[in-house]
Amino acid sequence: MDRTAQLTSRSTEFEIAYDPPGSSDSLHVRAARVLEANWTGRATVPSRSLYPHQWSWDSAFIAIGLRHVSPLRAQTELETLLAAQWADGRVPHIVFNPSVPLDAYFPSPDFWRSSTAGHTAGAPRTVQTSGIVQPPVHALAAWLVHHADPETSRSRGFLARVYPRLAAWHRYLLHRRDLGGGGLVSVVHPWEQGMDNSPCWDAPLARITPAPARSFRRADLDHGAAEDRPTDLDYGRYVRLAADYRDAGYADGQGEFAVEDPAFNALLIASEHALARIAEELGATGTARHARAERLTAALVERLWDPAAGMFLCRDLKGGGLIQERGVSGLVPLLLPGLPRDLVGALVRTLRGPHFSLGDRTRLAPSYDLLGEAFDPHRYWRGPAWFNTSWLLERGLRAHGELHLADALRAAVLHLADTTAFAEYVDPYTGEACGATGFGWTAALALDLHHELHQELVKGAREGVSSPATGTFDTSDKGGDRR
């Protein structure tokens, strides 16, 4: 049996963890082939050409999809990433593959110098990594992966092994990155937030003197159109921030860039809830972690909610206030179960309103305000729609009873992922593919939503109820199932 056939075969022992194999041209099979093509033996790269190493939050999202084709490989994905954790608890945003040439990606290992510059912070000696982090989706991913195949997870001691590392990761963020003193975590580089080139960073970045263009070579332009990528000026500022952080021994709180971001903190809160459930599965109490998640939710509302914008905004700790730019990051807190009901209603109205126009002019939420001066439907994180943020919004809408909206968003993700050959991101108006194709988290999260839809269809058939929505949005006020 070939590897793709193995990945798409059905388990009889753990039926709930797998989609049916379907025909050879099904979305399930095509998504599994992407994940197989990007697999390196211990981890999955986002893209063989553009991103040839292991990325932190990519691997978390990829594990969420992998659990439907190989729960064991999904566990390995997270274990490989966490094995590169630093002694201070940080999980680096890149784990470098030593077999990849240095000039294939910049910044490369010789830029970060993790084992030397990061020595004081406890960087590992046996593997090269970056020195910055990415959003903490990992505990949520670990909990979902465990549930795909609880018996194998328990027999391997998967949760028992990853729990201490996940706890140390959260401890690092909560203790070392509360740079504003208000309980929220700060990012010290735009790359840490994951939405690298968002206009939300323009004001904080304007204070940064860029590194000279001659001091680095952008490998990304070998694989992507320049008009879709960050400008040389922005890239120079990214390089300056990273170099200054490295030269300070990766010590936190000393740099010129510190921003409290709503999505980063919302994902930490969601993962705190997941970590509480992992603790309970291991026989401990999760009460303190649930309580911490509730306190963080209150801090998120207190510090980052803007009633006039109808959404959460970023706070620039060096510039002294909320950044008046609407990015999709400010909608991601829909994911949180403890969000006040009036805020949920406001977020849904903003999502469907003119700034994001979900279900009217756009099928997936754009990464930035359609009405913003910096909006660009193709340039990296300055307008295009991404599949990971759509997956997060789908979960949030569903959790808060917006079932019609969630069903239609899921249908749009599945259609666009499949018809664009699992593109990195798409034009929010036309659905045109942008960036790399065969992208890891696009395939994985489409696979996850495909599995969810299949389970609902099976359940509906058993109970004799109608199928979930698979078509368009109803944009009328009575369209959603609101609580």
Side-chain angles (χ1 to χ4, degrees):
M1 180 183 288
D2 66 29
R3 288 288 292 159
T4 301
Q6 289 177 339
L7 285 173
T8 56
S9 63
R10 187 170 188 167
S11 165
T12 56
E13 188 174 359
F14 303 112
E15 181 175 321
I16 194 170
Y18 300 86
D19 288 328
S23 64
S24 61
D25 64 347
S26 70
L27 181 146
H28 174 95
V29 171
R30 287 192 292 276
R33 285 173 177 159
V34 169
L35 296 177
E36 176 63 17
N38 291 1
W39 177 247
T40 65
R42 296 290 299 172
T44 309
V45 299
S47 162
R48 283 287 184 179
S49 58
L50 191 53
Y51 306 105
H53 302 285
Q54 183 179 25
W55 259 258
S56 173
W57 76 325
D58 290 74
S59 275
F61 287 126
I62 286 166
I64 289 168
L66 269 177
R67 68 191 173 121
H68 300 300
V69 291
S70 174
L72 178 58
R73 206 169 93 185
Q75 293 174 32
T76 302
E77 183 83 34
L78 294 173
E79 291 165 346
T80 301
L81 176 69
L82 292 172
Q85 185 174 30
W86 292 26
D88 66 1
R90 81 182 74 195
V91 175
H93 99 294
I94 302 175
V95 181
F96 290 105
N97 183 343
S99 67
V100 173
L102 286 179
D103 63 358
Y105 182 80
F106 178 84
S108 52
D110 57 344
F111 172 88
W112 295 103
R113 306 171 203 161
S114 60
S115 59
T116 53
H119 174 72
T120 302
R125 295 177 178 272
T126 58
V127 62
Q128 292 296 310
T129 76
S130 64
I132 59 175
V133 303
Q134 275 190 326
V137 199
H138 312 91
L140 174 61
W143 180 240
L144 294 174
V145 165
H146 165 76
H147 267 284
D149 188 342
E151 186 171 324
T152 297
S153 174
R154 290 175 185 133
S155 69
R156 294 186 67 247
F158 169 64
L159 292 182
R161 284 203 308 279
V162 300
Y163 179 82
R165 291 185 176 273
L166 293 169
W169 169 217
H170 287 204
R171 191 161 52 247
Y172 164 78
L173 292 172
L174 293 166
H175 292 177
R176 303 287 186 90
R177 290 297 191 90
D178 181 10
L179 304 181
L184 296 184
V185 172
S186 298
V187 296
V188 299
H189 195 291
W191 289 340
E192 292 198 312
Q193 194 268 355
M195 303 176 194
D196 309 1
N197 197 39
S198 170
C200 296
W201 316 133
D202 287 357
L205 281 175
R207 298 190 298 268
I208 309 301
T209 301
R214 65 181 179 278
S215 67
F216 58 91
R217 178 187 173 276
R218 295 182 57 181
D220 62 316
L221 297 181
D222 294 339
H223 306 286
E227 60 269 21
D228 291 351
R229 304 294 298 172
T231 65
D232 285 343
L233 177 61
D234 286 333
Y235 219 90
R237 288 170 169 148
Y238 302 153
V239 171
R240 172 71 69 188
L241 278 174
D244 288 351
Y245 191 41
R246 175 200 66 202
D247 294 344
Y250 297 110
D252 294 313
Q254 300 179 17
E256 299 178 68
F257 185 99
V259 175
E260 293 174 349
D261 173 75
F264 194 103
N265 281 279
L267 292 171
L268 175 61
I269 294 166
S271 279
E272 267 295 297
H273 281 302
L275 205 53
R277 296 185 179 97
I278 293 173
E280 291 161 0
E281 166 69 21
L282 296 174
T285 177
T287 305
R289 292 199 176 277
H290 283 307
R292 181 180 294 120
E294 291 169 3
R295 290 195 300 273
L296 286 168
T297 301
L300 183 72
V301 172
E302 173 66 25
R303 292 184 64 79
L304 302 186
W305 178 253
D306 188 306
M311 63 185 298
F312 293 89
L313 301 178
C314 298
R315 181 176 292 276
D316 181 2
L317 296 180
K318 302 296 183 177
L322 294 177
I323 299 170
Q324 296 299 316
E325 297 284 3
R326 294 175 171 89
V328 72
S329 168
L331 301 172
V332 169
L334 265 175
L335 183 71
L336 302 178
L339 206 61
R341 188 171 302 179
D342 59 329
L343 269 62
V344 171
L347 286 170
V348 172
R349 288 191 295 273
T350 299
L351 182 59
R352 299 175 70 180
H355 295 285
F356 295 91
S357 200
L358 187 65
D360 181 8
R361 289 182 293 159
T362 66
R363 292 191 69 193
L364 302 184
S367 52
Y368 175 66
D369 184 358
L370 297 172
L371 305 181
E373 292 184 8
F375 174 79
D376 184 326
H378 282 196
R379 194 178 289 276
Y380 205 65
W381 289 110
R382 300 180 82 83
W386 290 72
F387 292 91
N388 66 326
T389 53
S390 292
W391 182 87
L392 292 168
L393 292 174
E394 191 272 349
R395 286 185 67 92
L397 289 167
R398 196 168 299 282
H400 290 288
E402 295 282 350
L403 302 184
H404 186 76
L405 288 169
D407 286 343
L409 180 54
R410 176 175 62 193
V413 168
L414 293 174
H415 174 75
L416 290 172
D418 202 15
T419 57
T420 62
F422 304 100
E424 185 178 359
Y425 52 96
V426 298
D427 182 309
Y429 291 125
T430 67
E432 176 189 349
C434 301
T437 54
F439 199 71
W441 75 26
T442 303
L445 297 176
L447 190 58
D448 187 61
L449 293 180
H450 176 72
H451 172 79
E452 177 187 80
L453 176 60
H454 170 73
Q455 292 295 101
E456 288 182 17
L457 291 171
V458 169
K459 181 180 178 182
R462 287 171 180 164
E463 297 176 356
V465 299
S466 59
S467 301
T470 56
T472 59
F473 288 87
D474 177 356
T475 56
S476 66
D477 289 341
K478 60 185 179 181
D481 263 330
R482 296 205 178 127
R483 283 195 264 169

